Amino acid sequence: MNIDEIKISKATSRDIGRIVEIEESSYKDPWPREVFMVDYLFNNSAEYFVAKVKSKIVSFIGIWIEEAELHIINLAVDPENRRNGCGRFMLSFAIDLAKRRRIKQVYLEARKSNDIAQKLYFSCGFEPIEELKEYYQDGEDGIRMSKIISMDEEPNI
Ligand SMILES: CC(C)(COP(=O)(O)OP(=O)(O)OC[C@H]1O[C@@H](n2cnc3c(N)ncnc32)[C@H](O)[C@@H]1OP(=O)(O)O)[C@@H](O)C(=O)NCCC(=O)NCCS
């Protein structure tokens, strides 16, 4: 996969099946299809975007826009397409979306053990702001990270 081939678009309800496939191959405690459907259909603050390469979905990102904040609730890349810059591209997309909408803060949570995701977030300017005790269903702690958006910076993409 070449990063230049990636096209990001708003997810449609037809994309949920593929989103669930990527979710299931990415997490040991994946969200079930119904949770995605309810969030997609009924949560007015939720927005989902997919990254396609030659019309195949290789990644998705879910965000909630909450007042002055953009909360990244999910980001995953199809295992076969990882380490090609797609995760960083999706994160940059969300940061640029925040800039375009004049949102000043982006935040997200990650498992304490998820070094890969934390490395990505650190490298994109996120900083830890809160330890989340037993945040996940299996009792693992989480970490909340945030990035303050500078309106002076040009959007990346
Ligand atoms: C986290 C995730 C989205 C990263 O996607 P990706 O497309 O592989 O990431 P990128 O290729 O854009 O890499 C961006 C940075 O992440 C870090 N990274 C990615 N994969 C890594 C790995 N296997 N080992 C160490 N660091 C890694 C590196 O810092 C990398 O930058 P670099 O290439 O300059 O070293 C992907 O691993 C994934 O879907 N994981 C499962 C779901 C998940 O954990 N989501 C995050 C929930 S908080």
Side-chain angles (χ1 to χ4, degrees):
M1 183 195 72
N2 188 328
I3 196 81
D4 302 331
E5 296 176 301
I6 297 176
K7 301 254 181 302
I8 299 179
S9 56
K10 247 193 163 170
T12 69
S13 56
R14 284 193 310 265
D15 296 334
I16 303 288
R18 178 66 183 139
I19 287 175
V20 171
E21 258 178 37
I22 296 175
E23 171 83 6
E24 285 175 350
S25 57
S26 296
Y27 299 107
K28 58 181 175 184
D29 57 345
W31 276 16
R33 185 188 175 86
E34 301 71 51
V35 173
F36 277 104
M37 282 312 279
V38 169
D39 198 46
Y40 177 84
L41 292 172
F42 301 114
N43 181 355
N44 286 337
S45 56
E47 293 181 45
Y48 286 83
F49 295 89
V50 290
K52 289 184 189 165
V53 172
K54 298 190 182 94
S55 75
K56 185 179 183 198
I57 295 174
V58 296
S59 174
F60 72 92
I61 188 165
I63 61 169
W64 290 345
I65 305 269
E66 298 161 330
E67 294 175 15
E69 296 172 335
L70 188 153
H71 185 179
I72 297 177
I73 47 147
N74 206 332
L75 165 63
V77 176
D78 171 23
E80 283 176 22
N81 288 286
R82 289 188 191 154
R83 292 245 72 174
N84 281 314
C86 186
R88 189 185 295 285
F89 193 71
M90 295 299 270
L91 195 57
S92 297
F93 171 82
I95 292 166
D96 287 343
L97 191 72
K99 278 182 202 162
R100 290 201 299 275
R101 297 192 188 176
R102 317 300 292 174
I103 291 170
K104 294 199 174 62
Q105 189 181 15
V106 178
Y107 72 99
L108 48 80
E109 292 83 25
R111 281 182 180 264
K112 203 93 187 258
S113 62
N114 196 345
D115 296 332
I116 292 178
Q118 286 176 48
K119 212 170 152 206
L120 165 63
Y121 302 144
F122 272 118
S123 74
C124 288
F126 284 77
E127 287 176 2
I129 51 166
E130 196 180 348
E131 295 252 345
L132 305 163
K133 276 270 154 238
E134 296 175 13
Y135 185 70
Y136 294 94
Q137 233 167 24
D138 61 3
E140 185 174 348
D141 293 347
I143 179 163
R144 180 164 289 140
M145 300 179 78
S146 134
K147 178 179 169 79
I148 302 297
I149 304 298
S150 158
M151 295 298 159
D152 303 332
E153 280 173 47
E154 284 299 312
N156 292 320
I157 53 172

